[in-house]
Amino acid sequence: MKRRPVQRALKRVLDPVAAGVGLVVLSPLYAGLAVAVYLDSGRPVIFVSPRAGLKGRPFGMLKYRTMIPDAITVGREQGISADPFGIVKGDPRITSAGRWLRRTGLDELPQLVNVLRGQMSLVGPRADLVEQAAGYDERERRRLDVRPGITGWAQVNGRDSVSWTERFERDLWYLDNWSLWLDARILVRTVGEIFRPEPEPVEDALNIERAKKRASST
């Protein structure tokens, strides 16, 4: 990320302040979404996903649960996708409420708590699973130089409809061109993402290739 010390200091202050305000203002929405998830598929309402944060340090990223329990394990056992971390069109592991939450991106709202804790930022590269981050090459590890974001440049430029390779390129572009103004643009565009059609998920060749390498080495 470009060295803009004043802007970076402002970002560190604005992130938790905005997250705190958002948690208060959106509390009725939080309650409503929690009830919707519970009525649709029971507990747990909140899913804690182990993710790689700043410098690769693991943390528990919060989301409204959108899939059945142990979805990754079930996907591997049933051979739903060769990509161990991906989803497919009409993925049977996604619940009814979860499909709507994913389309709107509202499943990410609990991550305001992660921002308040200093584990995430409002805007930044999305946090990958710890297992995924362990397979990064040197160039890809640049994503770990900053706190992961609830939204980011890749999320408003393709989201689930682009490959992991393309997402990495978008994230690196963000790091090289970062400014508070760019963050503001991303936040505005994120609101528009709520109303976009559901993207067509792609089966990612990079994740598949790395999964095969891990399997062959064990």
Side-chain angles (χ1 to χ4, degrees), residues 122-126 149-157 171 174 186 190:
L122 293 178
V123 182
R126 285 295 291 159
I150 296 179
T151 186
W153 189 242
Q155 277 59 55
V156 298
N157 286 279
D171 287 334
Y174 168 80
I186 292 170
T190 298

Side-chain angles (χ1 to χ4, degrees), residues 47-195:
F47 173 65
V48 182
S49 179
R51 300 290 175 123
L54 180 66
K55 304 303 180 185
R57 291 189 291 268
F59 73 99
M61 191 178 80
L62 306 177
K63 301 181 68 172
Y64 284 113
R65 183 173 57 81
T66 61
M67 303 182 82
I68 62 174
D70 300 319
I72 291 179
T73 301
V74 170
R76 288 169 174 168
E77 291 175 348
Q78 296 185 3
I80 291 175
S81 170
D83 177 357
F85 311 114
I87 60 173
V88 297
K89 185 176 181 179
D91 198 311
R93 298 170 297 173
I94 300 177
T95 65
S96 298
R99 196 166 301 281
W100 180 79
L101 285 168
R102 280 175 169 264
R103 183 181 66 77
T104 60
L106 293 175
D107 58 319
E108 315 287 0
L109 278 181
Q111 288 155 38
L112 287 176
V113 175
N114 292 119
V115 176
L116 205 57
R117 291 174 177 172
Q119 299 166 324
M120 294 182 67
S121 177
L122 293 178
V123 182
R126 285 295 291 159
D128 276 343
L129 292 164
V130 173
E131 186 178 350
Q132 281 177 293
Y136 283 178
D137 61 28
E138 185 175 351
R139 185 165 179 264
E140 293 162 355
R141 286 191 65 81
R142 287 186 58 205
R143 299 175 84 250
L144 305 176
D145 289 343
V146 297
R147 286 176 177 79
I150 296 179
T151 186
W153 189 242
Q155 277 59 55
V156 298
N157 286 279
R159 202 170 169 180
D160 293 335
S161 60
V162 298
S163 69
W164 283 104
T165 301
E166 292 172 295
R167 292 186 208 185
F168 284 135
E169 292 304 318
R170 286 162 171 73
D171 287 334
L172 295 179
W173 183 91
Y174 168 80
L175 294 177
D176 291 335
N177 294 275
W178 175 81
S179 69
L180 282 179
W181 170 242
L182 178 59
D183 277 2
R185 286 173 55 198
I186 292 170
L187 287 171
V188 170
R189 289 182 60 179
T190 298
V191 175
E193 288 287 296
I194 295 175
F195 307 102

Side-chain angles (χ1 to χ4, degrees), residues 202-217:
V202 297
E203 193 172 60
D204 193 81
L206 181 62
N207 280 336
I208 294 171
E209 179 185 349
R210 289 179 176 175
K212 288 179 178 178
K213 285 183 179 178
R214 283 194 299 270
S216 63
S217 63

